[in-house]
Amino acid sequence: MGVVKMVVRRLVVAITGASGSIYARSLLRNIVPHYETVYVIVSDTASIIMRDELGTDDVRKVVGMAEKLTVLDNTDMSAPPSSGSHQYDGMVVVPCSMGAVGRIAAGVSQDLISRVADVCLKERRRLVLVPRETPLSAIHLENLLKLSRAGAVVLPASPPFYNKPQTIDDLVNAVTARILSHLGIEQDLVKEWKE
Ligand SMILES: Cc1cc2nc3c(=O)[nH]c(=O)nc-3n(C[C@H](O)[C@H](O)[C@H](O)COP(=O)(O)O)c2cc1C
């Protein structure tokens, strides 16, 4: 008879080379308490942008709660989440560059970020993409449509203004709150509309 095991809650967060590292920081700070392990993968360009926008690309320093974070190298194709046999809830790519969108839409899986996204799509796990680019070309739009049809949630870093944001944190929290809802995590960062 099989042994019943506790379900381990794990999530992958990828940070790619779009502006908006602050969205990744906010999401990580808010989700880490909800998971046993959060795998973090940072692309090379994301590191450059993090240093520029957050002053450091040291994810553990930026997020805290280091014991829950496992930072993976984007070139490590044999890291645990590269296999569908490894159990994890899904992945958030935040911010998501159009380059990453293109690679995931094409299914090329040549780095760990695009491979994990590919695994999430084939295993029907949650894949939330938080793109940041403007304007969008027809290629970007077609890739995003393809990903949405394949099961990804396309959640642009596009905060609303109906809740009268006063600070950058208010704007960032509004996007983080939407990501949390898509992960099934209750949030109190932002009030629901008409609540
Ligand atoms: C400072 C800086 C800001 C960038 N901002 C964006 C952006 O907002 N959106 C985007 O799609 N690409 C942006 N790029 C371009 C991507 O970083 C580039 O296409 C890169 O190859 C993406 O690779 P990655 O997906 O592996 O991180 C930016 C690049 C730099 C250096």
Side-chain angles (χ1 to χ4, degrees):
M1 208 164 49
V3 179
V4 178
K5 278 197 184 167
M6 289 277 285
V7 177
V8 179
R9 291 207 76 197
R10 303 184 184 108
L11 185 78
V12 181
V13 174
I15 309 174
T16 62
S19 182
S21 320
I22 194 170
Y23 290 113
R25 181 176 74 186
S26 169
L27 181 74
L28 283 164
R29 285 181 176 167
N30 281 284
I31 56 161
V32 167
H34 297 274
Y35 291 89
E36 238 153 272
T37 300
V38 177
Y39 294 114
V40 184
I41 316 166
V42 183
S43 77
D44 286 349
T45 321
S47 285
I48 297 170
I49 297 175
M50 281 177 77
R51 288 199 290 274
D52 200 38
E53 295 184 356
L54 300 180
T56 176
D57 63 352
D58 183 338
V59 176
R60 293 188 185 88
K61 211 192 264 174
V62 160
V63 179
M65 301 170 276
E67 68 291 349
K68 296 253 202 112
L69 295 178
T70 302
V71 180
L72 302 172
D73 194 301
N74 197 22
T75 60
D76 182 1
M77 298 307 292
S78 65
S82 69
S83 170
S85 65
H86 188 64
Q87 290 305 311
Y88 53 99
D89 295 356
M91 182 194 210
V92 182
V93 185
V94 57
C96 187
S97 72
M98 286 303 129
V101 163
R103 286 190 297 278
I104 299 167
V108 294
S109 291
Q110 101 286 21
D111 56 19
L112 185 60
I113 293 173
S114 49
R115 169 60 186 167
V116 176
D118 206 37
V119 168
C120 289
L121 294 175
K122 81 182 175 77
E123 301 290 337
R124 303 285 190 262
R125 294 183 194 164
R126 255 184 263 253
L127 176 62
V128 181
L129 306 174
V130 186
R132 206 242 55 107
E133 183 54 287
T134 198
L136 294 170
S137 72
I139 294 170
H140 301 150
L141 292 164
E142 280 182 5
N143 284 336
L144 289 166
L145 178 60
K146 197 169 169 187
L147 288 165
S148 177
R149 287 189 171 140
V153 172
V154 177
L155 195 157
S158 167
F161 289 84
Y162 49 72
N163 52 359
K164 316 260 184 320
Q166 301 297 310
T167 64
I168 291 178
D169 274 352
D170 290 344
L171 293 166
V172 172
N173 283 344
V175 173
T176 302
R178 298 312 306 274
I179 304 172
L180 292 173
S181 328
H182 278 277
L183 295 174
I185 296 171
E186 229 177 277
Q187 62 83 27
D188 57 6
L189 290 171
V190 174
K191 274 197 187 148
E192 283 174 35
W193 176 241
K194 300 261 165 103
E195 200 186 48

